[in-house]
């Protein structure tokens, strides 16, 4: 019999959290909120790069460096979505990752220089190394997720090897290797498509996490506006300009939290999910760009016209933001009022040209008006949003009616293994007849053989602390229909 401390350690070890159906709706943990704070610094550092040089060179440096910053946050967010625990080791590793992210943030400004490349690569190496260690622990404790974890261990490990090798080469070869390493990181979830598709995500947790990161970059945009106002002579024009800049941030918030659909996360296909994921890179990066555009517009209020880079950041950033939101909206099948979005995108792009002939206040006022009119039309005429029941667990399948047996007909192990004196690793329960078989990690895989023999579609885990079921017919995780007292061991 397990002692209370041993039982607590077992429950707190890495497990697939989205399969715990009894967690009806999951929110960001205090540790995740603390983790996000270090990315406030990272976002701020990339924004300062763009603010200091809004030309082509500064823009490309910002865009290139924002990729690893954002993707580092994504990597830890999706790991925590599936495997977060309250154990000591997990917390210490996350604190180590946070410290490494601080290191990356402080080395961004000197990137692409002989003195700055080595510290940046070392700090980024540590950020990714901690994530690899976390996936290795999950693979050890969660056999079910080993194929999924292995692709990240291999993919991220190969990427780190490339970053390390790059230090032995001079630019531009070094930066070409960086690009290859980053592409490999993006490709990592596709190394095992089946595992990526089968391991579920939390459909209430992930949208909230992306929303929180969007709040971080919106805060940076507001801060940029306030900083600019503090550096110029206050007057009616500069105050109006800064106020309109804040109003644009408010409109972005409104659009993001009222009209960005998360239906893609409920799709059985990976394509909508990854469009939702990578679309958010353009959402958050364009918000930063727009905020820097407003910052420079405040500084240029008294001039005859805004500088072209300022107009490009302001109107181009707005257009990219609206385009990313529209694409995410379209892939989810929510196509109502798309013509309104397309119109606002086109008008924002036109402002890049027309803005060179208009006074500064008129350019920002036009961009703000485009957003306000778009929001008003969608709010007034768009059909009501369909409300979804947010559950952490997976969606049911059409074979749910066949899951009626919740107790094993034989207690004490795998039925076939006991007869033949074989060993097993984990046990699975057939919810159609009560047969107990060993898992696919076991040598004989009697649970799977039972399905092929009988056609009984759904089996569930009999392991202590695990609450999940698997449909062989549809090849996906499904809600565990067993009452709680039949699950706890």
């Amino acid at each position: 019999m397990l002692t209370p401390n041993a039982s607590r350690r077992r429950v707190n070890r890495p497990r697939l959290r989205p399969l715990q159906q009894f967690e009806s709706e999951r929110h960001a943990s205090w540790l995740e909120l603390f983790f996000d704070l270090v990315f406030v610094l990272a976002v701020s550092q990339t924004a300062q790069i763009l603010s200091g040089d809004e030309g082509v060179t500064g823009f490309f440096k910002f865009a290139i460096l924002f990729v690893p910053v954002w993707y580092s946050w994504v990597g830890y967010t999706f790991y925590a979505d599936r495997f977060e625990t309250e154990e000591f080791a997990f917390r210490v590793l996350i604190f180590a990752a946070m410290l490494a992210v601080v290191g990356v943030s402080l080395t961004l400004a000197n990137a692409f220089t002989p003195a700055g490349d080595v510290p940046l690569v070392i700090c980024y190496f540590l950020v990714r190394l901690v994530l690899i260690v976390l996936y290795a622990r999950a693979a050890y404790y969660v056999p079910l997720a080993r194929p999924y974890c292995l692709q990240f261990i291999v993919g991220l490990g190969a990427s780190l090897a490339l970053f390390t090798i790059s230090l032995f080469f001079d630019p531009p070869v070094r930066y070409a290797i960086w690009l290859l390493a980053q592409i490999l990181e993006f490709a990592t979830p596709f190394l095992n498509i089946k595992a990526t598709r089968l391991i579920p995500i939390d459909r209430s947790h992930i949208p909230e996490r992306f929303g929180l990161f969007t709040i971080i970059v919106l805060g940076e945009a507001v801060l940029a506006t306030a900083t600019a106002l503090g550096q110029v002579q206050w007057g009616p024009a500069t105050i109006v300009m800064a106020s309109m800049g804040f109003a644009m941030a408010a409109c972005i918030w409104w659009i993001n939290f009222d009209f960005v659909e998360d239906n893609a996360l409920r799709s059985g296909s990976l394509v909508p999910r990854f469009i939702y994921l990578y679309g958010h890179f353009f959402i958050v990066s364009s918000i930063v760009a727009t905020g820097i555009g407003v910052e420079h517009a405040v500084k240029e209020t008294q001039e005859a016209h805004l500088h072209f880079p300022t107009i490009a950041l302001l109107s181009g950033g707005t257009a990219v933001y609206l385009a990313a939101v529209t694409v995410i909206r379209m892939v989810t099948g929510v196509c109502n009022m798309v013509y309104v979005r397309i119109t606002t995108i086109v008008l924002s792009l036109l402002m890049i040209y027309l803005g060179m002939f208009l006074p500064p206040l008129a350019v920002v006022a036009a961009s703000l008006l485009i957003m306000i009119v778009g929001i008003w039309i969608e709010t007034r005429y768009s059909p009501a949003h369909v409300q979804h029941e947010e559950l952490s667990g997976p969606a049911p399948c059409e074979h749910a009616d066949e899951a009626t047996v919740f107790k094993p007909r034989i207690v004490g192990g795998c039925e076939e293994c006991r007869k033949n004196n074989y060993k097993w690793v984990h046990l699975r329960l057939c919810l159609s007849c009560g047969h107990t078989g060993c898992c696919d990690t076991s040598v004989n895989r009697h649970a799977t053989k039972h399905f092929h023999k009988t056609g009984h579609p759904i089996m569930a885990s009999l392991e202590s602390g695990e609450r999940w079921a698997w449909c062989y017919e549809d090849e996906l995780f499904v809600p565990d229909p067993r009452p709680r007292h039949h699950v706890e061991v």
Side-chain angles (χ1 to χ4, degrees):
M1 182 176 179
L2 294 176
T3 64
N5 287 338
S7 177
R8 184 177 183 274
R9 286 196 298 270
R10 183 162 184 161
V11 170
N12 280 340
R13 72 187 186 187
R15 68 193 194 280
L16 273 171
R17 291 194 60 167
L19 296 183
Q20 312 303 310
Q21 185 191 5
F22 49 84
E23 297 179 277
S24 58
E25 186 174 353
R26 179 180 165 194
H27 296 286
S29 66
W30 293 114
L31 182 57
E32 287 179 305
L33 297 176
F34 186 29
F35 180 77
D36 286 353
L37 284 179
V38 299
F39 280 89
V40 174
L41 175 61
V43 171
S44 176
Q45 291 297 309
T46 56
Q48 286 182 26
I49 291 171
L50 184 58
S51 178
D53 180 4
E54 59 176 350
V56 175
T57 302
F59 173 79
F60 277 107
K61 187 176 181 181
F62 157 76
I64 292 170
L65 294 177
F66 196 79
V67 171
V69 168
W70 174 78
Y71 207 59
S72 295
W73 179 87
V74 167
Y76 281 92
T77 294
F78 274 87
Y79 176 88
D81 179 69
R82 293 175 167 109
F83 302 110
E84 183 186 28
T85 68
E86 297 179 358
E87 62 176 341
F88 177 85
F90 175 78
R91 291 180 173 180
V92 170
L93 286 169
I94 291 298
F95 293 151
M98 292 167 64
L99 187 59
V101 170
V102 172
V104 169
S105 304
L106 297 178
T107 58
L108 289 172
N110 293 321
F112 304 112
T113 65
D117 286 349
V118 174
L120 174 62
V121 169
I122 291 174
C123 292
Y124 189 69
F125 182 96
L126 294 174
V127 171
R128 287 329 224 173
L129 181 62
V130 173
L131 187 58
I132 291 173
V133 172
L134 286 169
Y135 271 113
R137 295 186 73 250
Y140 176 80
Y141 285 110
V142 190
L144 198 67
R146 280 176 187 166
Y148 174 79
C149 295
L150 182 61
Q151 68 180 337
F152 284 92
I153 296 171
V154 172
L156 296 179
S159 174
L160 288 190
L162 287 174
F163 275 113
T164 303
I165 292 171
S166 73
L167 296 180
F168 295 95
F169 294 88
D170 294 325
V173 176
R174 173 182 296 170
Y175 305 137
I177 296 175
W178 286 10
L179 176 61
L180 181 61
Q182 193 65 64
I183 292 173
L184 181 57
E185 287 194 4
F186 281 122
T188 294
F190 301 95
L191 297 179
N192 189 334
I193 294 291
K194 182 177 181 181
T196 301
R197 181 180 66 83
L198 293 182
I199 300 299
I201 58 175
D202 191 311
R203 299 189 302 274
S204 62
H205 180 243
I206 287 297
E208 181 185 68
R209 297 295 291 124
F210 276 90
L212 290 171
F213 194 82
T214 304
I215 291 293
I216 289 175
V217 295
L218 274 172
E220 180 58 38
V222 172
L223 179 62
T225 303
T227 299
L229 190 60
Q231 295 175 351
V232 298
Q233 177 92 30
W234 282 34
T238 53
I239 292 175
V240 170
M241 179 72 83
S243 299
M244 289 192 296
F246 176 81
M248 288 184 66
C251 287
I252 290 173
W253 175 91
W254 197 317
I255 293 170
N256 196 81
F257 293 101
D258 263 17
F259 303 120
V260 177
E261 305 291 340
D262 57 14
N263 294 14
L265 298 177
R266 301 177 179 86
S267 173
S269 170
L270 286 180
V271 174
R273 295 187 201 176
F274 278 98
I275 290 177
Y276 178 90
L277 167 61
Y278 295 122
H280 272 80
F281 168 78
F282 294 98
I283 285 177
V284 294
S285 60
S286 64
I287 292 174
V288 175
T290 303
I292 300 302
V294 171
E295 176 188 0
H296 283 270
V298 173
K299 295 177 181 179
E300 298 165 15
T301 302
Q302 303 299 334
E303 300 187 23
H305 305 288
L306 294 177
H307 302 167
F308 179 76
T310 300
I311 300 172
L313 288 176
L314 184 67
S315 300
T318 302
V320 171
Y321 173 78
L322 294 172
V325 170
T326 301
V327 170
I328 292 175
R329 190 176 179 89
M330 292 178 69
V331 299
T332 61
V334 184
C335 296
N336 299 309
M337 311 296 292
V338 170
Y339 69 90
V340 175
R341 294 279 179 85
I342 294 175
T343 301
T344 57
I345 294 168
V346 171
L347 291 175
S348 296
L349 291 174
L350 284 175
M351 284 305 303
I352 298 177
Y353 172 74
L354 297 176
M356 294 185 292
F357 306 101
L358 298 174
L361 284 173
V363 175
V364 178
S367 297
L368 175 60
L369 183 62
I370 289 170
M371 286 189 172
I372 291 175
V373 171
I375 292 172
W376 179 77
I377 293 175
E378 290 210 53
T379 302
R380 184 174 179 85
Y381 298 105
S382 182
H385 296 295
V386 177
Q387 297 296 322
H388 299 277
E389 182 182 3
E390 298 293 356
L391 293 176
S392 298
C397 68
E398 61 182 15
H399 306 95
D401 293 340
E402 299 183 45
T404 57
V405 179
F406 305 142
K407 291 184 178 181
R409 61 192 183 193
I410 296 178
V411 179
C414 172
E415 297 180 15
E416 286 82 3
C417 288
R418 290 181 60 188
K419 293 177 184 177
N420 297 284
N421 199 28
Y422 296 145
K423 294 184 180 295
W424 63 84
V425 179
H426 296 296
L427 299 176
R428 310 297 184 228
L429 170 67
C430 174
L431 298 184
S432 295
C433 67
H435 171 272
T436 303
C438 55
C439 67
D440 283 357
T441 308
S442 305
V443 174
N444 293 286
R445 306 174 61 189
H446 285 126
T448 298
K449 290 179 179 178
H450 176 75
F451 161 71
H452 291 304
K453 180 180 179 180
T454 64
H456 296 165
I458 300 179
M459 63 88 175
S461 173
L462 278 177
E463 296 305 303
S464 176
E466 292 188 357
R467 183 173 173 81
W468 56 265
W470 170 264
C471 178
Y472 278 102
E473 290 285 356
D474 296 327
E475 291 191 326
L476 50 79
F477 291 99
V478 295
D480 188 343
R482 295 173 295 171
R484 287 295 301 277
H485 65 275
H486 285 300
V487 177
E488 301 297 335
V489 177

